[in-house]
Amino acid sequence: MPGLQVGAIDSANWAVSARGFNTQYANKLLVMIDGRTVYSPLFSGVYWDAQQVFLDDVDRIEVIRGPGATVWGANAVNGVISVLSKSARIPRRSPLRRRR
């Protein structure tokens, strides 16, 4: 996405930020997984290696660039990343259900 910088520092550390302020400990980007913020209280940023989200469980990722502090709070100065997971319900036409 234009305006979003993602970089691998090494095999375990990532730097994700928006609007050109990319460092490993960037704390001006709000990250939410299923509506809950996932920041560390140590520096108000995100430890990306500590988030265990499987790609098969992800429904969509919403990225909002720009100042969103008026809607989401103080950590959303440069933008918001919201990761939404799939529903846990089995769909109606699932192959796991028996047909009568």
Side-chain angles (χ1 to χ4, degrees), residues 38-60:
V38 289
Y39 69 94
S40 170
L42 292 175
F43 67 101
S44 297
V46 177
Y47 286 121
W48 291 99
D49 57 340
Q51 307 309 317
Q52 299 293 322
V53 179
F54 296 107
L55 192 57
D56 291 339
D57 294 338
V58 173
D59 183 31
R60 66 183 183 270

Side-chain angles (χ1 to χ4, degrees), residues 4 6 8 11-14 18 26-28 30 35-36 42 44 53 56 58-59 70 78 80-81 88 91-92:
L4 191 68
V6 178
S11 63
N13 295 316
W14 290 84
N27 61 356
K28 301 295 185 236
L30 177 65
R36 295 183 182 200
L42 292 175
S44 297
V53 179
D56 291 339
V58 173
D59 183 31
T70 57
N78 289 335
V80 178
I81 295 177
R92 292 181 183 220

Side-chain angles (χ1 to χ4, degrees), residues 17 20 30 32-33 57 59 61 63 65 73 77 80 84 96-97 100:
S17 66
L30 177 65
M32 297 186 297
I33 297 176
D57 294 338
D59 183 31
I61 299 173
V63 178
R65 294 180 299 143
V77 173
V80 178
L84 300 168
L96 299 176
R97 292 184 58 168
R100 294 181 186 178

Side-chain angles (χ1 to χ4, degrees), residues 9-22:
I9 296 171
D10 56 27
S11 63
N13 295 316
W14 290 84
V16 179
S17 66
R19 302 179 70 196
F21 301 103
N22 199 2

